[in-house]
Amino acid sequence: MQITVLAGGVGGSRFVRGVREECARRWPDGDGGTEASITVIVNTGDDIWLAGVRLMPDFDSLLYSLAGVNDTERGWGRAGETERVAAELREWGVGWPWFTLGDLDLGTHLARTAWLREGAAPSEVARRLQLRWPLGVHLIPATDTEVDTDVLVADPDKLDGEREMHFQEWWTRYRATLPAIAFRQRNIAAARPAPGVVEAIVGADIVLVAPSNPVVSIGTILAVPGIREALAETSAPVVGVSPIIGGKVVRGMADACLPVIGVETSAEAVGRHYGSRSTGGLLDGWLVDEADAAAVAPLEEIGLTAASVPLWMRDLDTSADLAGAALDLPV
């Protein structure tokens, strides 16, 4: 069984852990793992150079979560983290004082940066980072091209009323409170899927779209030339999970992103945004929460197989149950 997941962010990490657990229950290998092959195509639009090192936040969130070394209280970074280096950097005026690099996390960034400067591609660096822990999952960056996301925001103090900043500044420093006008991924037109990405999609038995931000996570993955085409080509069913429950985001600030692309914050609207593959869209199936059961019929009218199931991933069991519902959706 070959399962491919498109994911980013904390929601994506929780979902992928659920996929891994459900696969271990369905197709056990006798050693606590699974005979299924799970590949995760990871968003790289949040990536940034900061204080001289390369950060890949979504990749690292997945890496730490699957390794069991993540900070479950904060939802990001390493457990047992210290911040002595970050405090010293602030004294030197290096980096962003509101963007904290934990000491353990910084070790990952330094290793990544060292390998990049030696000439390794980000996908090769990702392979090396995964050797440290037995993840039971293969993580691949969506592209080896740097496609960092910039956000165009309204600024009444500027002559043209606009200014641009890196996504991480808008997201972390301003908590997405500055009205966004547009999201722009640098170099996206020249980007190509990282090695193994197209093969993982085309060769899959099922492709799952995690409940990650539809605009800056899944949207960035889909914007890499060649990935959307691979999704159209694959004979595997493509099943997505709504990141919206009852008109509210589960986590993060997707509600500040969706209006920028003209999509309302609802499970039905995001499903319509992705669209049905039968009419040129992305999905064959779409899961919404029980609170959004009324969206099932309208979504089926546009060619999607839709179902309402519990979407809250409160623990490993509920995450595995959600993954199971996605795997079992009859598309």
Side-chain angles (χ1 to χ4, degrees):
M1 186 70 175
Q2 171 63 55
I3 301 167
T4 298
V5 187
L6 276 58
V10 176
S13 297
R14 290 181 176 176
F15 181 70
V16 171
R17 285 190 67 218
V19 172
R20 183 182 64 178
E21 178 65 18
E22 182 65 14
C23 286
R25 296 174 181 180
R26 294 189 182 203
W27 303 288
D29 63 3
D31 294 318
T34 178
E35 292 182 348
S37 175
I38 306 168
T39 300
V40 183
I41 299 168
V42 186
N43 168 48
T44 57
D46 295 6
D47 300 358
I48 186 172
W49 284 98
L50 184 65
V53 295
R54 186 63 172 166
L55 280 58
M56 299 181 70
D58 279 6
F59 180 90
D60 292 345
S61 287
L62 279 154
L63 178 70
Y64 298 155
S65 178
L66 292 165
V69 299
N70 61 311
D71 187 326
T72 56
E73 290 187 10
R74 291 191 302 181
W76 53 272
R78 293 280 298 273
E81 189 62 277
T82 52
E83 299 175 355
R84 292 189 66 188
V85 175
E88 190 67 8
L89 287 173
R90 283 194 292 271
E91 291 298 320
W92 289 112
V94 174
W96 288 333
W98 40 264
F99 195 101
T100 301
L101 298 175
D103 297 338
L104 295 173
D105 199 26
L106 188 57
T108 303
H109 306 325
L110 288 170
R112 173 186 292 116
T113 303
W115 289 326
L116 290 173
R117 294 197 186 283
E118 290 170 1
S123 54
E124 168 59 17
V125 172
R127 185 192 69 81
R128 296 181 190 181
L129 289 171
Q130 292 172 78
L131 294 176
R132 181 170 178 182
W133 296 289
L135 304 183
V137 168
H138 180 40
L139 306 176
I140 310 178
T143 179
D144 281 336
T145 305
E146 292 185 5
V147 292
D148 302 22
T149 302
D150 290 326
V151 185
L152 186 66
V153 301
D155 187 344
D157 295 329
K158 292 284 186 177
L159 187 62
D160 60 1
E162 300 174 350
R163 67 176 166 126
E164 197 165 77
M165 64 183 65
H166 191 282
F167 171 78
Q168 290 294 351
E169 182 174 9
W170 180 75
W171 190 260
T172 307
R173 182 181 186 183
Y174 294 106
R175 307 301 298 168
T177 56
L178 298 179
I181 298 171
F183 299 99
R184 298 170 176 168
Q185 286 81 26
R186 306 174 196 170
N187 309 312
I188 195 68
R192 293 296 179 268
V197 167
V198 170
E199 294 82 354
I201 294 172
V202 174
D205 292 304
I206 187 168
V207 177
L208 303 177
V209 179
S212 303
N213 190 307
V215 183
V216 294
S217 291
I218 303 301
T220 301
I221 295 173
L222 297 175
V224 175
I227 291 184
R228 187 178 283 273
E229 290 80 358
L231 286 164
E233 177 185 346
T234 186
S235 60
V238 181
V239 176
V241 179
S242 173
I244 309 297
I245 296 177
K248 297 180 179 180
V249 295
V250 175
R251 190 179 181 91
M253 295 164 278
D255 51 343
C257 302
L258 288 166
V260 178
I261 61 170
V263 177
E264 70 176 24
T265 305
S266 75
E268 180 180 342
V270 175
R272 289 181 179 275
H273 165 66
Y274 284 142
S276 167
R277 281 212 294 172
S278 63
T279 56
L282 172 70
L283 303 172
D284 297 301
W286 185 236
L287 291 180
V288 302
D289 189 73
E290 293 168 316
D292 298 301
V296 170
L299 289 168
E300 290 187 333
E301 289 178 1
I302 66 168
L304 286 173
T305 298
S308 59
V309 300
L311 294 193
W312 286 106
M313 295 182 287
R314 295 183 173 87
D315 50 31
L316 188 57
D317 285 337
T318 52
S319 297
D321 288 344
L322 176 56
L327 292 170
D328 290 340
L329 189 66
V331 294

